[in-house]
C-alpha cells in the first residue's frame, strides 16, 4: 500500500458523491455524479453503475477524472477506468440502498478507477477562512488559504 494511496483515501474519506468526467466520441467532456462505494488504500476508487449506460464504453473510460468537494477539501483525481462484473466484487461493494437502483433487466457493474495522479487542496473550515481573509485584508497581506499537494498512488 502506497503512502500516496493512503493520503488519497484519507482526503476523500466521508465524501459520498463525486463527479466523474469522461470523453465522448466527439472529444467533448461529459460529467455525471456517482456515489462512491469505496476508496482503497492503493487509491482505487469504486462505483456501482448500470450496465446499460452509453458512456461506459472502453474508449470513453481510458482517461477520466473524478472530482471530490467538501467544505474543507477539494480533490481532482485522474486515471483510467474499467468495468468489473465479478459477482464477488459486486457483492462486496453493494448494500441494500445501492442495490435498489438496479434491476435484473439493468444489472450493476463495478466501475474501477485506477488513479494515476491527484491534485488536492485543503483549508480550515469556513469561519477560519473568513477570519484569515479579514486578518490579511487588515494587514495588507495574503490570507493563508490552506495546503496543496499532489499524490501518485
Amino acid at each position: 500500500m502506497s503512502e500516496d494511496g493512503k493520503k488519497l483515501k484519507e482526503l476523500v474519506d466521508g465524501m459520498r458523491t463525486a463527479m466523474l468526467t469522461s470523453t465522448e466520441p466527439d472529444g467533448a467532456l461529459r460529467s455525471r455524479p456517482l456515489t462512491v462505494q469505496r476508496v482503497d488504500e492503493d487509491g482505487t476508487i469504486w462505483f456501482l453503475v448500470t450496465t446499460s449506460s452509453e458512456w461506459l464504453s472502453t474508449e470513453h473510460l481510458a482517461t477520466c477524472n473524478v472530482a471530490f468537494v467538501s467544505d474543507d477539501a477539494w480533490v481532482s483525481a485522474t486515471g483510467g477506468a474499467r468495468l468489473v462484473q465479478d459477482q464477488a466484487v459486486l457483492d462486496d461493494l453493494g448494500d441494500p440502498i445501492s442495490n435498489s437502483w438496479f434491476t435484473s433487466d439493468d444489472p450493476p457493474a463495478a466501475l474501477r478507477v485506477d488513479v494515476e495522479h491527484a491534485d488536492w487542496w485543503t483549508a480550515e473550515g469556513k469561519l477560519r477562512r473568513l477570519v484569515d481573509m479579514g486578518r490579511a485584508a487588515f494587514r495588507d497581506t495574503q490570507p493563508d488559504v490552506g495546503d496543496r499537494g499532489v499524490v501518485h498512488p
Side-chain angles (χ1 to χ4, degrees):
M1 292 174 234
S2 75
E3 289 303 312
D4 281 358
K6 288 179 184 177
K7 177 68 175 179
L8 178 62
K9 180 180 172 72
E10 173 189 310
L11 286 163
V12 301
D13 185 47
M15 296 185 202
R16 292 287 297 149
T17 304
M19 292 295 289
L20 184 132
T21 303
S22 59
T23 307
E24 295 293 307
D26 65 0
L29 297 174
R30 297 285 184 265
S31 300
R32 64 217 39 90
L34 294 174
T35 301
V36 179
Q37 294 304 120
R38 186 176 75 215
V39 178
D40 294 337
E41 288 192 356
D42 66 357
T44 303
I45 303 169
W46 293 91
F47 303 97
L48 290 176
V49 295
T50 59
T51 55
S52 64
S53 298
E54 314 84 46
W55 60 272
L56 289 174
S57 68
T58 304
E59 63 271 10
H60 296 175
L61 299 174
T63 302
C64 63
N65 176 272
V66 182
F68 297 86
V69 176
S70 73
D71 285 342
D72 58 2
W74 302 263
V75 177
S76 176
T78 56
R82 62 186 168 95
L83 287 178
V84 176
Q85 294 182 308
D86 181 294
Q87 191 59 49
V89 172
L90 294 170
D91 290 345
D92 186 47
L93 294 175
D95 57 68
I97 294 172
S98 297
N99 293 341
S100 70
W101 287 94
F102 307 104
T103 67
S104 58
D105 294 335
D106 198 8
L111 182 64
R112 174 187 173 131
V113 179
D114 296 307
V115 176
E116 298 167 4
H117 176 98
D119 292 286
W120 59 268
W121 300 262
T122 60
E124 296 290 329
K126 290 179 185 179
L127 181 58
R128 173 64 188 253
R129 288 195 309 261
L130 286 172
V131 168
D132 284 345
M133 285 187 281
R135 185 179 299 134
F138 180 73
R139 295 180 179 166
D140 195 29
T141 61
Q142 288 191 331
D144 177 9
V145 293
D147 295 321
R148 182 200 185 292
V150 174
V151 293
H152 299 277

